[in-house]
């Protein structure tokens, strides 16, 4: 009986370790796909991670970007501009949002979270899109600019007729 319990414990520990490694590699992959618009720029807001829920995005259903950020100075207000582009389409879809829609204000120095929810039409083509996010303060000074990919799956919330 003790041997059987020991085997179960070893299996649980092994599975837990595997899940931890997979979770860690997924987070690293997300961070590696995040790029700043200008590599040499000294942005006042640093982005550490972008989480996309659900992943992949389901056409015709809301999806959320959770963006972990850090600033050394308070931010009283500002704007976020999301430019979503798809290969082969010249003009990106552009969404303007006040900072107050995505995080409580004022943003105090330290870590903070931007949460942005969007709904793309059910007829949006599946594939990998790029998002360019530009974050400006109340004086129109660019605080950060990042580019990251996200995937819209072939599944749709609208059933075929």
């Amino acid at each position: 009986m003790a041997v059987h319990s020991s085997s179960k414990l070893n299996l649980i520990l092994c599975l837990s370790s595997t899940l931890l490694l997979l979770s860690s590699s997924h987070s690293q992959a997300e961070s590696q796909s995040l790029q700043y618009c200008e590599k040499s720029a000294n942005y006042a807001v640093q982005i550490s991670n972008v989480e996309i829920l659900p992943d992949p995005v389901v056409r015709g259903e809301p999806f959320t970007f959770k963006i972990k950020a850090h600033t050394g100075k308070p931010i009283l207000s500002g704007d976020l501009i999301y430019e979503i582009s798809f290969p082969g389409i010249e003009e990106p879809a552009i969404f303007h949002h006040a900072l107050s829609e995505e995080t409580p204000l004022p943003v105090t120095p330290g870590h903070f979270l931007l949460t942005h929810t969007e709904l793309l039409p059910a007829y949006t083509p599946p594939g990998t899109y790029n998002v360019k996010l530009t974050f400006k303060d109340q004086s129109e000074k660019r605080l950060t600019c990042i580019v990251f990919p996200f995937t819209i799956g072939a599944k749709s919330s609208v059933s075929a007729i």
Side-chain angles (χ1 to χ4, degrees):
M1 195 73 140
V3 173
H4 185 64
S5 296
S6 176
S7 296
K8 276 186 174 179
L9 180 60
N10 286 338
L11 179 62
I12 290 170
L13 288 173
C14 183
L15 288 173
S16 297
S17 297
T18 302
L19 287 173
L20 183 62
L21 285 172
L22 288 173
S23 169
S24 170
S25 65
H26 179 67
S27 294
Q28 289 172 353
E30 282 181 342
S31 296
Q32 290 171 353
S33 62
L34 168 70
Q35 296 180 350
Y36 286 95
C37 298
E38 296 175 38
K39 290 180 171 80
S40 61
N42 187 18
Y43 292 117
V45 172
Q46 298 296 311
I47 307 297
S48 62
N49 193 15
V50 176
E51 183 180 13
I52 303 164
L53 300 169
D55 188 10
V57 170
V58 177
R59 297 179 294 155
E61 292 185 11
F63 64 94
T64 302
F65 297 137
K66 290 187 175 187
I67 302 167
K68 293 181 182 176
H70 181 272
T71 184
K73 297 180 179 177
I75 304 168
L76 303 178
S77 66
D79 293 303
L80 298 151
I81 301 108
Y82 294 87
E83 297 178 48
I84 300 177
S85 60
F86 186 70
I89 298 177
E90 288 184 32
E91 294 295 318
I94 300 174
F95 303 91
H96 293 262
H97 294 276
L99 180 59
S100 61
E101 296 174 38
E102 307 200 4
T103 197
L105 293 179
V107 174
T108 56
H111 296 281
F112 65 100
L113 181 68
L114 297 169
T115 304
H116 175 78
T117 299
E118 196 66 59
L119 174 66
L120 295 177
Y123 57 81
T124 303
T128 300
Y129 289 72
N130 280 317
V131 176
K132 178 181 176 184
L133 169 61
T134 305
F135 181 1
K136 295 181 179 181
D137 69 8
Q138 63 275 8
S139 312
E140 291 294 309
K141 178 183 175 195
R142 186 158 71 166
L143 299 178
T144 200
C145 181
I146 59 170
V147 177
F148 59 92
F150 80 103
T151 302
I152 296 179
K155 181 179 156 189
S156 174
S157 65
V158 178
S159 62
I161 297 177

